[in-house]
Amino acid sequence: MEFGRELIRMDVDGAGISAATTNNSHHHPAPVLRGRSKAIHQFTQQTLPACKPVLTPAWVIGTFLLMGVIFIPVGLISLHASQSVNEIVDRYDTDCVPDTFKSNKVAYIKNASTSKGCHRYLKVAKPMKAPIYIYYQLDNFYQNHRRYVKSRSDDQLLRGLGYNKTSSCEPLAFENGLPIVPCGLVAWSLFNDTYSFSRGNKKLKIERQNIAWKSDRDHKFGKQVYPFNFQNGSFIGGGKLDTTIPLSDQEDLIVWMRTAAFPSFRKLYGRIEEDLEEGDTVVVHLMNNYNTYSFGGTKMLVLSTSSWLGGKNSFLGVAYIFVGSSSILIALVFLLLHVKNPRPYGDTVYLSGNRKDISS
């Protein structure tokens, strides 16, 4: 009984407090907010005007159907563009090793007295319209390794010998007490296989200009910076550079210095500006200089045309088709659930954004 009386007393006291509060509000009205203060108050209380769509079943199902109708045609068009690209891919790192060195490929590539020349014969299965892009492809080469990526000096590439802070290039910053330009592991490991092509008795001209990004040539490699003391040590990495040509014009180096994100990558070597017809045989004369045998890598030569979407890559088209098909499937599932078990709509008046209208 005492506990019940206490609850009643507390309830009455609470009513009195509420009444007092109400009476005080009549005597001391809340200040009216205007201008910036009102906007800040609305922002902090999350009462700013906003679009608050109600996701009804019709809206959800319609949105998923629309996504499917848009994504699937885009995916089919992208896939068709990718499949219209013709490619010839030839792995040559194993076949170009003489039989006497098949069991010890590392000894072959390190033996300077052994000829590295090799001939490959590529059959053109479909017509290839110019320009035909020449790529070299390396697998199991981790250009994205943290220490490899950091082993360079972008300031030195742009300013040359005038920039001496090349500690990031160690241990390939100096040789015999003299600075190395360009320094670091990335430049030191420059790819140095070479290719030439012929069709019948006619040599195919390879265009080696404009294979690097224009922004790299103009802004990242100095026009007055020349190679210095490069590959002069006892331990030679990859290719050498012409000391009479500035770095901004050595596009093989510029292409190589843009490191790849994945261990399998392609880099542009040049372009063939002639059409190749179906049934043509292209003879490749190559020098197998680059050492991928020490780390279990592979080398491939790729001839490829291009489309409005770029090179051959089916991922984008497949991704669009997958997302579009999934959207239509989800829309059908939602539609069946809505037809089988319809739910009454709630009154939108009671949504948080409309409570102000209710109180008024």
Side-chain angles (χ1 to χ4, degrees), residues 91 93-94 105-106 138-142 263-264 291-299:
R91 178 180 173 180
D93 58 301
T94 301
K105 299 182 180 68
V106 176
L138 299 181
D139 296 322
N140 201 36
F141 191 116
Y142 287 82
S264 295
N291 182 8
T292 57
Y293 308 106
S294 297
F295 56 88
T298 63
K299 295 187 290 188

Side-chain angles (χ1 to χ4, degrees), residues 132-143:
I132 301 168
Y133 297 93
I134 307 167
Y135 300 92
Y136 56 88
Q137 177 175 326
L138 299 181
D139 296 322
N140 201 36
F141 191 116
Y142 287 82
Q143 272 199 320

Side-chain angles (χ1 to χ4, degrees), residues 228-345:
F228 180 79
N229 199 28
F230 185 71
Q231 301 285 25
N232 286 338
S234 57
F235 193 47
I236 305 299
K240 296 189 176 184
L241 298 174
D242 191 334
T243 58
T244 64
I245 301 176
L247 295 186
S248 60
D249 293 336
Q250 306 218 30
E251 298 197 37
D252 280 340
L253 174 69
I254 298 175
V255 170
W256 179 257
M257 294 292 285
R258 181 166 285 278
T259 52
F262 298 100
S264 295
F265 58 86
R266 293 178 180 179
K267 290 186 181 290
L268 186 60
Y269 181 84
R271 299 183 305 275
I272 298 175
E273 301 289 355
E274 298 182 34
D275 295 342
L276 297 179
E277 304 299 333
E278 182 178 353
D280 285 349
T281 299
V282 177
V283 181
V284 184
H285 313 273
L286 64 90
M287 295 298 292
N288 185 26
N289 297 316
Y290 199 69
N291 182 8
T292 57
Y293 308 106
S294 297
F295 56 88
T298 63
K299 295 187 290 188
M300 299 182 192
L301 173 64
V302 180
L303 301 183
S304 175
T305 59
S306 65
S307 68
W308 61 270
L309 199 59
K312 194 177 189 70
N313 189 345
S314 300
F315 173 78
L316 186 63
V318 171
Y320 269 107
I321 293 173
F322 175 78
V323 172
S325 302
S326 301
S327 299
I328 290 180
L329 180 61
I330 293 172
L332 293 176
V333 171
F334 283 175
L335 180 61
L336 291 175
L337 291 175
H338 181 61
V339 171
K340 185 178 180 181
N341 300 309
R343 297 178 60 187
Y345 296 158

Side-chain angles (χ1 to χ4, degrees), residues 139-156:
D139 296 322
N140 201 36
F141 191 116
Y142 287 82
Q143 272 199 320
N144 58 350
H145 191 283
R146 183 180 65 88
R147 291 187 65 185
Y148 182 89
V149 171
K150 291 177 64 177
S151 184
R152 60 188 292 164
S153 174
D154 290 327
D155 288 319
Q156 188 206 57

Side-chain angles (χ1 to χ4, degrees), residues 82-88 126-128 303-306 312:
S82 175
Q83 292 177 345
S84 67
V85 175
N86 296 326
E87 279 190 354
I88 302 175
K126 296 180 180 178
M128 302 179 73
L303 301 183
S304 175
T305 59
S306 65
K312 194 177 189 70

